Amino acid sequence: MTSDTPSLPDGYDDHLSVLTDMIASVRDTLKTDHTLSTDQRRFARRLLFLASEPVNEAERILPKSDRTDEPRDVQTPDTGGDYEDALTNIERELCWLIQSFRTEQPAAYHYDEAPAAKFTTALEYATALRDILPAVPADSPVLAEMDTISVDDVDPHVGGRGDSDGRWLEYQLQRALERWGYGAVRRQHLFSLEVDVVATRKTKQQDPSDWIVAQCKDWTDDPITPVALFRLCTVAFACRAMPVLCHTTELTPRTEQLAREFEVRVLELQDLERAELPAPQVAKPTMELQEWRPQYRARDDRGSLPLLFYNEPGKRFSYVPGFTPVGKDADYEPIESDRDEDTHPAAGR
């Protein structure tokens, strides 16, 4: 009779911890390494993100060690910023985990995908970094010694990432939103315009972010200009929803300013790993030291409505009728008695 408890490799959690630390270290290094071109940094960080996803999934489904003795002497290698050494160590840890789980894992594994398969997927994306990072040999010395592990079928160009095809990033955002407690759907048509992701929070928090309209820009070259932001905000405000921009490129300085003033949540790939929906950025750090003059935030810079509208009832800058801005950051509170005729299902709930 087969036990329901899988047989786990001895010391796997130590190696898994080392692996996640090394991946995080390389990703942090890539953020500030301006010796690489913009495309090299972008594609390398993207591949590391793809490699870390199956590793994180494996870490979530595997049980924590219940050993009471001292941890084994498995330490994170010091690569000193050397991409070749870092990548080789990542491949070595992944190969150890793949072989160990192949050996110890029972035939009827009760997870949706075996950990060995998840680590193999991570290895495929990690080895693809050799084609992007300079001064890193194309052939892996670790894989050269392995006759049982092959990544010949690796294709770092994920489906849905072609020219004018951003399905991959839309899917990543949809997954994150669902993890954050939303129901989300992709490719919706609103007012004859296609919107990448529309979401509504399953358990309302009495906040305008209970409804979201999102646009994804999985670009590699062109920066995002105000035109794209205006389109997003127009559709979002018409839907009485908060705008979200998820991107893999850069924003022009004017676009960054407008995103703060319109309280757009601007998300990058690493933001999709957070535990909850990030708040919008509302203030930019100063470049000066010991500067104590008032820091104007998004709502201060945004100004007020035209004078003709200012004193009319119901005219206030708010995304969802029934809510009013509070403070200078991004807080809102429900209005107990909303006199607007243009009501929304959120009003009074």
Side-chain angles (χ1 to χ4, degrees), residues 111-344:
Y111 296 132
D112 57 340
E113 186 181 38
K118 293 183 182 294
F119 294 129
T120 301
T121 300
L123 181 63
E124 290 175 348
Y125 289 117
T127 55
L129 280 163
R130 293 183 173 274
D131 296 328
I132 295 177
L133 295 174
V136 175
D139 296 327
S140 168
V142 177
L143 293 181
E145 301 174 358
M146 302 287 179
D147 54 0
T148 59
I149 300 176
S150 174
V151 291
D152 292 337
D153 297 329
V154 61
D155 181 8
H157 305 290
V158 181
R161 307 201 76 170
D163 185 25
S164 300
D165 185 0
R167 288 174 297 162
W168 180 85
L169 188 58
E170 295 164 14
Y171 173 61
Q172 303 306 319
L173 177 59
Q174 180 188 27
R175 291 183 67 192
L177 286 168
E178 290 178 347
R179 197 178 71 250
W180 294 334
Y182 287 83
V185 290
R186 290 175 283 152
R187 299 290 175 109
Q188 298 295 292
H189 286 82
L190 310 171
F191 310 112
S192 299
L193 297 173
E194 185 178 78
V195 178
D196 294 337
V197 181
V198 176
T200 179
R201 191 177 269 125
K202 296 176 181 177
T203 302
K204 300 296 188 291
Q205 297 182 358
Q206 295 302 309
D207 188 87
S209 61
D210 288 342
W211 302 270
I212 282 177
V213 168
Q215 200 72 21
C216 297
K217 300 296 183 185
D218 192 12
W219 296 350
T220 58
D221 297 319
D222 299 332
I224 298 175
T225 63
V227 173
L229 195 73
F230 281 133
R231 180 188 185 276
L232 167 64
C233 289
T234 299
V235 177
F237 297 162
C239 291
R240 308 292 196 256
M242 297 295 279
V244 170
L245 175 65
C246 185
H247 72 98
T248 57
T249 182
E250 305 293 333
L251 276 64
T252 66
R254 177 58 176 158
T255 308
E256 288 184 0
Q257 178 186 356
L258 288 170
R260 287 193 297 272
E261 293 179 0
F262 289 140
E263 299 177 21
V264 179
R265 285 165 169 80
V266 180
L267 309 182
E268 299 182 0
L269 275 180
Q270 58 266 31
D271 293 318
L272 303 185
E273 303 176 35
R274 296 178 182 269
E276 60 183 2
L277 176 69
Q281 297 175 343
V282 297
K284 190 174 184 179
T286 177
M287 299 300 293
E288 302 297 327
L289 179 65
Q290 302 294 334
E291 180 183 4
W292 301 109
R293 62 184 182 183
Q295 182 182 24
Y296 294 101
R297 305 194 180 188
R299 289 177 178 173
D300 297 318
D301 296 333
R302 187 167 60 210
S304 59
L305 293 172
L307 290 177
L308 283 175
F309 299 157
Y310 190 77
N311 291 322
E312 292 193 13
K315 293 295 184 183
R316 50 182 169 267
F317 187 90
S318 183
Y319 303 100
V320 181
F323 294 89
T324 185
V326 176
K328 295 184 177 181
D329 288 332
D331 294 328
Y332 285 80
E333 67 179 16
I335 302 173
E336 293 183 0
S337 177
D338 186 8
R339 297 180 180 178
D340 288 351
E341 293 182 358
D342 183 14
T343 58
H344 184 273

Side-chain angles (χ1 to χ4, degrees), residues 55-74:
V55 174
N56 292 337
E57 290 174 4
E59 188 174 25
R60 282 194 293 268
I61 66 175
L62 288 170
K64 300 297 182 183
S65 173
D66 57 357
R67 299 193 314 266
T68 58
D69 55 332
E70 292 296 325
R72 289 167 173 76
D73 186 17
V74 180

